[in-house]
Amino acid sequence: MKRFLTAIVCLLLVMVAKAQVPNFGTTCGNGNVYAYQTLKFRPGQNAMETYSTLQVGASDYFMGGFDYYTGPGSRYFGIVARGGYKFNQYFKLGAQLTPSFDLNNNFDFGYLTSAIYMNGDITKDGRLFWVTDTWLENDKNELTSAKQWTYLGYTFPLGGDHSITPMAGVIHDWKFEQDADLSMGVYYSYKNVNLYAWANDICTDQPRVVLAVEFKFDWFRTK
């Protein structure tokens, strides 16, 4: 079984195309702290990117915080507002708004990111599930990016609080500037910690590797 799971991970790492780490519809919950850190790089090219966010759950349906992005010659600070609601086991809906400000240009407004997150279980045990994320980016009055990520995932329990979840799906562009493409990825979970391995542009001359860690913890839950 362990050899089989290792083979799945290796296969995903070498075959992923046009991928994006998924986001789910619910929030981290009242009094919880959510954190996410990712590193993106293209082997053989000096074009490293980082993204970090720290958010706090003000209720079971809303959380807010900030994020920080760095790329070649750029640094942006964003203010994050995110809401989410679980209608039932099979449908969860969330939304996010993040205005980002240019730290290299006197904290001027850079762009607005808005997102809609939807996910739900397909099977009653919750192992087979779907996720779809819509991401829109506006540079002042212009829509510069509109992308859709849609996945199916299946969670394999490894015993105790450990599990591994491969995911596969399709990415497409609502502006129809790029062709739809296959997307795959995998994450390992232990309690409230997830470790992600994703990638972009594997079929191009300059593939990008995406590694990420995500966790939440109970900080000041109110009664």
Side-chain angles (χ1 to χ4, degrees), residues 101-118:
F101 303 89
D102 190 347
L103 296 178
N104 289 340
N105 191 22
N106 299 318
F107 209 72
D108 284 351
F109 174 75
Y111 54 91
L112 174 68
T113 303
S114 53
I116 298 174
Y117 309 130
M118 292 184 287

PDB file of all heavy atoms in Angstrom, residues 101-118:
ATOM      1  N   PHE A 101      -1.675  46.246  -2.280  1.00  0.00           N
ATOM      2  CA  PHE A 101      -1.001  47.535  -2.384  1.00  0.00           C
ATOM      3  C   PHE A 101       0.494  47.324  -2.641  1.00  0.00           C
ATOM      4  O   PHE A 101       1.123  46.429  -2.065  1.00  0.00           O
ATOM      5  CB  PHE A 101      -1.221  48.342  -1.104  1.00  0.00           C
ATOM      6  CG  PHE A 101      -2.680  48.553  -0.786  1.00  0.00           C
ATOM      7  CD1 PHE A 101      -3.381  47.632  -0.020  1.00  0.00           C
ATOM      8  CD2 PHE A 101      -3.353  49.655  -1.295  1.00  0.00           C
ATOM      9  CE1 PHE A 101      -4.732  47.817   0.252  1.00  0.00           C
ATOM     10  CE2 PHE A 101      -4.700  49.850  -1.028  1.00  0.00           C
ATOM     11  CZ  PHE A 101      -5.389  48.927  -0.250  1.00  0.00           C
ATOM     12  N   ASP A 102       1.044  48.173  -3.493  1.00  0.00           N
ATOM     13  CA  ASP A 102       2.402  48.030  -3.986  1.00  0.00           C
ATOM     14  C   ASP A 102       3.401  48.587  -2.964  1.00  0.00           C
ATOM     15  O   ASP A 102       3.466  49.803  -2.744  1.00  0.00           O
ATOM     16  CB  ASP A 102       2.540  48.770  -5.318  1.00  0.00           C
ATOM     17  CG  ASP A 102       3.839  48.469  -6.027  1.00  0.00           C
ATOM     18  OD1 ASP A 102       4.754  47.882  -5.400  1.00  0.00           O
ATOM     19  OD2 ASP A 102       3.951  48.823  -7.220  1.00  0.00           O
ATOM     20  N   LEU A 103       4.177  47.716  -2.346  1.00  0.00           N
ATOM     21  CA  LEU A 103       5.161  48.142  -1.356  1.00  0.00           C
ATOM     22  C   LEU A 103       6.386  48.776  -1.990  1.00  0.00           C
ATOM     23  O   LEU A 103       7.187  49.403  -1.294  1.00  0.00           O
ATOM     24  CB  LEU A 103       5.577  46.952  -0.494  1.00  0.00           C
ATOM     25  CG  LEU A 103       4.469  46.333   0.365  1.00  0.00           C
ATOM     26  CD1 LEU A 103       5.009  45.133   1.137  1.00  0.00           C
ATOM     27  CD2 LEU A 103       3.888  47.360   1.317  1.00  0.00           C
ATOM     28  N   ASN A 104       6.546  48.624  -3.295  1.00  0.00           N
ATOM     29  CA  ASN A 104       7.662  49.269  -3.996  1.00  0.00           C
ATOM     30  C   ASN A 104       7.277  50.614  -4.589  1.00  0.00           C
ATOM     31  O   ASN A 104       8.083  51.255  -5.267  1.00  0.00           O
ATOM     32  CB  ASN A 104       8.174  48.355  -5.123  1.00  0.00           C
ATOM     33  CG  ASN A 104       8.894  47.136  -4.589  1.00  0.00           C
ATOM     34  OD1 ASN A 104       9.338  47.111  -3.442  1.00  0.00           O
ATOM     35  ND2 ASN A 104       9.025  46.110  -5.413  1.00  0.00           N
ATOM     36  N   ASN A 105       6.022  51.029  -4.346  1.00  0.00           N
ATOM     37  CA  ASN A 105       5.541  52.270  -4.947  1.00  0.00           C
ATOM     38  C   ASN A 105       4.636  53.023  -3.963  1.00  0.00           C
ATOM     39  O   ASN A 105       3.469  53.297  -4.243  1.00  0.00           O
ATOM     40  CB  ASN A 105       4.787  51.970  -6.250  1.00  0.00           C
ATOM     41  CG  ASN A 105       4.496  53.218  -7.053  1.00  0.00           C
ATOM     42  OD1 ASN A 105       5.154  54.249  -6.914  1.00  0.00           O
ATOM     43  ND2 ASN A 105       3.478  53.142  -7.903  1.00  0.00           N
ATOM     44  N   ASN A 106       5.202  53.327  -2.785  1.00  0.00           N
ATOM     45  CA  ASN A 106       4.522  54.164  -1.787  1.00  0.00           C
ATOM     46  C   ASN A 106       3.164  53.620  -1.354  1.00  0.00           C
ATOM     47  O   ASN A 106       2.242  54.377  -1.042  1.00  0.00           O
ATOM     48  CB  ASN A 106       4.347  55.593  -2.320  1.00  0.00           C
ATOM     49  CG  ASN A 106       5.667  56.259  -2.615  1.00  0.00           C
ATOM     50  OD1 ASN A 106       6.626  56.138  -1.833  1.00  0.00           O
ATOM     51  ND2 ASN A 106       5.753  56.942  -3.745  1.00  0.00           N
ATOM     52  N   PHE A 107       3.024  52.294  -1.347  1.00  0.00           N
ATOM     53  CA  PHE A 107       1.798  51.645  -0.902  1.00  0.00           C
ATOM     54  C   PHE A 107       0.596  52.018  -1.776  1.00  0.00           C
ATOM     55  O   PHE A 107      -0.544  52.027  -1.332  1.00  0.00           O
ATOM     56  CB  PHE A 107       1.508  51.986   0.574  1.00  0.00           C
ATOM     57  CG  PHE A 107       0.743  50.905   1.291  1.00  0.00           C
ATOM     58  CD1 PHE A 107       1.354  49.704   1.614  1.00  0.00           C
ATOM     59  CD2 PHE A 107      -0.577  51.088   1.649  1.00  0.00           C
ATOM     60  CE1 PHE A 107       0.659  48.708   2.291  1.00  0.00           C
ATOM     61  CE2 PHE A 107      -1.282  50.101   2.321  1.00  0.00           C
ATOM     62  CZ  PHE A 107      -0.661  48.908   2.644  1.00  0.00           C
ATOM     63  N   ASP A 108       0.848  52.332  -3.040  1.00  0.00           N
ATOM     64  CA  ASP A 108      -0.242  52.630  -3.966  1.00  0.00           C
ATOM     65  C   ASP A 108      -1.070  51.367  -4.229  1.00  0.00           C
ATOM     66  O   ASP A 108      -0.555  50.251  -4.202  1.00  0.00           O
ATOM     67  CB  ASP A 108       0.306  53.146  -5.302  1.00  0.00           C
ATOM     68  CG  ASP A 108       0.780  54.593  -5.208  1.00  0.00           C
ATOM     69  OD1 ASP A 108       0.519  55.234  -4.166  1.00  0.00           O
ATOM     70  OD2 ASP A 108       1.414  55.050  -6.168  1.00  0.00           O
ATOM     71  N   PHE A 109      -2.368  51.578  -4.529  1.00  0.00           N
ATOM     72  CA  PHE A 109      -3.227  50.438  -4.867  1.00  0.00           C
ATOM     73  C   PHE A 109      -2.695  49.737  -6.113  1.00  0.00           C
ATOM     74  O   PHE A 109      -2.396  50.384  -7.124  1.00  0.00           O
ATOM     75  CB  PHE A 109      -4.661  50.913  -5.113  1.00  0.00           C
ATOM     76  CG  PHE A 109      -5.580  49.831  -5.602  1.00  0.00           C
ATOM     77  CD1 PHE A 109      -6.059  48.865  -4.733  1.00  0.00           C
ATOM     78  CD2 PHE A 109      -5.948  49.774  -6.936  1.00  0.00           C
ATOM     79  CE1 PHE A 109      -6.894  47.858  -5.196  1.00  0.00           C
ATOM     80  CE2 PHE A 109      -6.790  48.771  -7.402  1.00  0.00           C
ATOM     81  CZ  PHE A 109      -7.264  47.810  -6.523  1.00  0.00           C
ATOM     82  N   GLY A 110      -2.592  48.414  -6.033  1.00  0.00           N
ATOM     83  CA  GLY A 110      -2.072  47.649  -7.156  1.00  0.00           C
ATOM     84  C   GLY A 110      -3.147  46.933  -7.939  1.00  0.00           C
ATOM     85  O   GLY A 110      -3.317  47.141  -9.141  1.00  0.00           O
ATOM     86  N   TYR A 111      -3.927  46.093  -7.251  1.00  0.00           N
ATOM     87  CA  TYR A 111      -4.960  45.319  -7.933  1.00  0.00           C
ATOM     88  C   TYR A 111      -5.939  44.764  -6.896  1.00  0.00           C
ATOM     89  O   TYR A 111      -5.644  44.706  -5.694  1.00  0.00           O
ATOM     90  CB  TYR A 111      -4.352  44.173  -8.750  1.00  0.00           C
ATOM     91  CG  TYR A 111      -3.452  43.250  -7.966  1.00  0.00           C
ATOM     92  CD1 TYR A 111      -3.958  42.108  -7.347  1.00  0.00           C
ATOM     93  CD2 TYR A 111      -2.086  43.510  -7.845  1.00  0.00           C
ATOM     94  CE1 TYR A 111      -3.145  41.260  -6.628  1.00  0.00           C
ATOM     95  CE2 TYR A 111      -1.263  42.666  -7.121  1.00  0.00           C
ATOM     96  CZ  TYR A 111      -1.790  41.548  -6.518  1.00  0.00           C
ATOM     97  OH  TYR A 111      -0.987  40.708  -5.792  1.00  0.00           O
ATOM     98  N   LEU A 112      -7.107  44.349  -7.366  1.00  0.00           N
ATOM     99  CA  LEU A 112      -8.131  43.747  -6.521  1.00  0.00           C
ATOM    100  C   LEU A 112      -8.352  42.309  -6.975  1.00  0.00           C
ATOM    101  O   LEU A 112      -8.624  42.046  -8.143  1.00  0.00           O
ATOM    102  CB  LEU A 112      -9.445  44.518  -6.625  1.00  0.00           C
ATOM    103  CG  LEU A 112     -10.644  43.898  -5.890  1.00  0.00           C
ATOM    104  CD1 LEU A 112     -10.430  43.958  -4.379  1.00  0.00           C
ATOM    105  CD2 LEU A 112     -11.942  44.605  -6.286  1.00  0.00           C
ATOM    106  N   THR A 113      -8.219  41.380  -6.033  1.00  0.00           N
ATOM    107  CA  THR A 113      -8.501  39.978  -6.304  1.00  0.00           C
ATOM    108  C   THR A 113      -9.822  39.600  -5.655  1.00  0.00           C
ATOM    109  O   THR A 113     -10.043  39.875  -4.476  1.00  0.00           O
ATOM    110  CB  THR A 113      -7.392  39.075  -5.747  1.00  0.00           C
ATOM    111  OG1 THR A 113      -6.138  39.459  -6.306  1.00  0.00           O
ATOM    112  CG2 THR A 113      -7.663  37.620  -6.088  1.00  0.00           C
ATOM    113  N   SER A 114     -10.705  39.000  -6.429  1.00  0.00           N
ATOM    114  CA  SER A 114     -11.966  38.490  -5.892  1.00  0.00           C
ATOM    115  C   SER A 114     -12.091  37.024  -6.280  1.00  0.00           C
ATOM    116  O   SER A 114     -11.607  36.603  -7.334  1.00  0.00           O
ATOM    117  CB  SER A 114     -13.159  39.297  -6.406  1.00  0.00           C
ATOM    118  OG  SER A 114     -13.155  39.378  -7.817  1.00  0.00           O
ATOM    119  N   ALA A 115     -12.724  36.250  -5.408  1.00  0.00           N
ATOM    120  CA  ALA A 115     -12.793  34.816  -5.647  1.00  0.00           C
ATOM    121  C   ALA A 115     -14.108  34.251  -5.124  1.00  0.00           C
ATOM    122  O   ALA A 115     -14.688  34.766  -4.162  1.00  0.00           O
ATOM    123  CB  ALA A 115     -11.627  34.108  -4.967  1.00  0.00           C
ATOM    124  N   ILE A 116     -14.567  33.192  -5.786  1.00  0.00           N
ATOM    125  CA  ILE A 116     -15.706  32.410  -5.341  1.00  0.00           C
ATOM    126  C   ILE A 116     -15.236  30.966  -5.193  1.00  0.00           C
ATOM    127  O   ILE A 116     -14.639  30.402  -6.115  1.00  0.00           O
ATOM    128  CB  ILE A 116     -16.878  32.489  -6.332  1.00  0.00           C
ATOM    129  CG1 ILE A 116     -17.372  33.927  -6.457  1.00  0.00           C
ATOM    130  CG2 ILE A 116     -18.026  31.579  -5.886  1.00  0.00           C
ATOM    131  CD1 ILE A 116     -18.429  34.110  -7.535  1.00  0.00           C
ATOM    132  N   TYR A 117     -15.487  30.385  -4.017  1.00  0.00           N
ATOM    133  CA  TYR A 117     -15.069  29.012  -3.731  1.00  0.00           C
ATOM    134  C   TYR A 117     -16.299  28.134  -3.523  1.00  0.00           C
ATOM    135  O   TYR A 117     -17.211  28.491  -2.771  1.00  0.00           O
ATOM    136  CB  TYR A 117     -14.222  28.952  -2.457  1.00  0.00           C
ATOM    137  CG  TYR A 117     -13.073  29.913  -2.406  1.00  0.00           C
ATOM    138  CD1 TYR A 117     -12.873  30.728  -1.291  1.00  0.00           C
ATOM    139  CD2 TYR A 117     -12.166  30.008  -3.452  1.00  0.00           C
ATOM    140  CE1 TYR A 117     -11.802  31.603  -1.215  1.00  0.00           C
ATOM    141  CE2 TYR A 117     -11.104  30.882  -3.397  1.00  0.00           C
ATOM    142  CZ  TYR A 117     -10.921  31.674  -2.271  1.00  0.00           C
ATOM    143  OH  TYR A 117      -9.865  32.541  -2.218  1.00  0.00           O
ATOM    144  N   MET A 118     -16.331  26.981  -4.173  1.00  0.00           N
ATOM    145  CA  MET A 118     -17.402  26.012  -3.972  1.00  0.00           C
ATOM    146  C   MET A 118     -16.813  24.619  -3.869  1.00  0.00           C
ATOM    147  O   MET A 118     -15.864  24.284  -4.585  1.00  0.00           O
ATOM    148  CB  MET A 118     -18.411  26.075  -5.129  1.00  0.00           C
ATOM    149  CG  MET A 118     -19.218  27.358  -5.178  1.00  0.00           C
ATOM    150  SD  MET A 118     -20.479  27.353  -6.497  1.00  0.00           S
ATOM    151  CE  MET A 118     -19.432  27.553  -7.943  1.00  0.00           C
TER     152      MET A 118
END
